[in-house]
C-alpha cells in the first residue's frame, strides 16, 4: 500500500515546487521558489537619454531572479523583449504594492515616474535582450544570457 502512495506524494511535492509558495508552504516544501535560490539583479533605469543598464546579465537556468525597473518620468518609456519573456516563468510583477501574477509578458511601459519589480525563474538557455521600443542604441538595452 505504501508503494502506491510514493508516486502520488512525489507528484504533490513537484506540484508544490512549481505552483508557488502558497501550495509549497502547505506541504513544507519550498522548492525552486525558496529564497535561498533567489538573486537580486541590478536595477534597470528608464530615463530619456540615459543607459538602461550598466552591464549585461548572466543568468542560470533554474534560478529565481528579482529586478526593479525604475522610470524617472522624463518620457513615456518601456521595455520590450518577447524572446526573453518567453524564456522565463514570471512569478509576479509588483507595481505600487499590487502583486500581479501574469501568464506572460511581451513588454512593460511607464507613462509616468514609478517602480516595477519583476520576480522570475530563468528557464530556457540562450541569448536575449530587453530594449526600449523603437531604439537601436546599445545603451538603450540590456543583453541577457541564460546558461
Amino acid at each position: 500500500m505504501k508503494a502506491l502512495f510514493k508516486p502520488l506524494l512525489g507528484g504533490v511535492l513537484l506540484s508544490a515546487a512549481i505552483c508557488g509558495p502558497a501550495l509549497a508552504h502547505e506541504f513544507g516544501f519550498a522548492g525552486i521558489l525558496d529564497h535561498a535560490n533567489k538573486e537580486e539583479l541590478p536595477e534597470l533605469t528608464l530615463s530619456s537619454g540615459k543607459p538602461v543598464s550598466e552591464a549585461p546579465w548572466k543568468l542560470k537556468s533554474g534560478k529565481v531572479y528579482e529586478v526593479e525597473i525604475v522610470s524617472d518620468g522624463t518620457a513615456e518609456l518601456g521595455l520590450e523583449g518577447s524572446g526573453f519573456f518567453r524564456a522565463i516563468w514570471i512569478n509576479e510583477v509588483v507595481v505600487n504594492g499590487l502583486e500581479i501574477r501574469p501568464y506572460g509578458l511581451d513588454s512593460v511601459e511607464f507613462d509616468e515616474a514609478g517602480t516595477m519589480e519583476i520576480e522570475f525563474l530563468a528557464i530556457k538557455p540562450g541569448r536575449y535582450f530587453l530594449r526600449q521600443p523603437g531604439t537601436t542604441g546599445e545603451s538603450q538595452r540590456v543583453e541577457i544570457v541564460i546558461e
Side-chain angles (χ1 to χ4, degrees):
M1 189 74 156
K2 245 183 179 177
L4 292 174
F5 288 105
K6 270 189 176 180
L8 177 62
L9 180 59
V12 167
L13 292 176
L14 179 60
S15 295
I18 294 171
C19 292
L23 183 58
H25 179 70
E26 281 295 312
F27 293 96
F29 184 80
I32 57 177
L33 295 178
D34 187 351
H35 291 290
N37 190 41
K38 189 189 312 187
E39 182 179 320
E40 300 262 343
L41 292 170
E43 181 180 281
L44 296 180
T45 304
L46 297 179
S47 180
S48 186
K50 293 189 180 175
V52 171
S53 178
E54 296 296 320
W57 291 351
K58 193 171 184 181
L59 311 178
K60 292 189 183 276
S61 181
K63 189 162 182 75
V64 176
Y65 295 92
E66 190 172 274
V67 62
E68 277 194 2
I69 304 169
V70 179
S71 174
D72 66 2
T74 54
E76 190 173 308
L77 295 169
L79 290 173
E80 66 181 6
S82 60
F84 173 68
F85 285 125
R86 287 181 179 88
I88 64 173
W89 173 75
I90 299 168
N91 182 41
E92 68 181 5
V93 177
V94 181
V95 179
N96 292 331
L98 303 171
E99 295 179 5
I100 304 156
R101 301 193 187 273
Y103 282 115
L105 292 174
D106 185 65
S107 64
V108 297
E109 184 176 311
F110 290 79
D111 292 339
E112 56 189 48
T115 301
M116 175 185 301
E117 185 178 283
I118 301 176
E119 182 180 276
F120 64 91
L121 172 68
I123 298 175
K124 186 178 176 187
R127 295 182 149 298
Y128 307 97
F129 64 85
L130 286 173
R131 71 171 180 188
Q132 291 181 3
T135 61
T136 56
E138 291 297 314
S139 68
Q140 303 307 300
R141 64 190 282 144
V142 58
E143 298 293 327
I144 304 163
V145 174
I146 299 177
E147 297 179 327

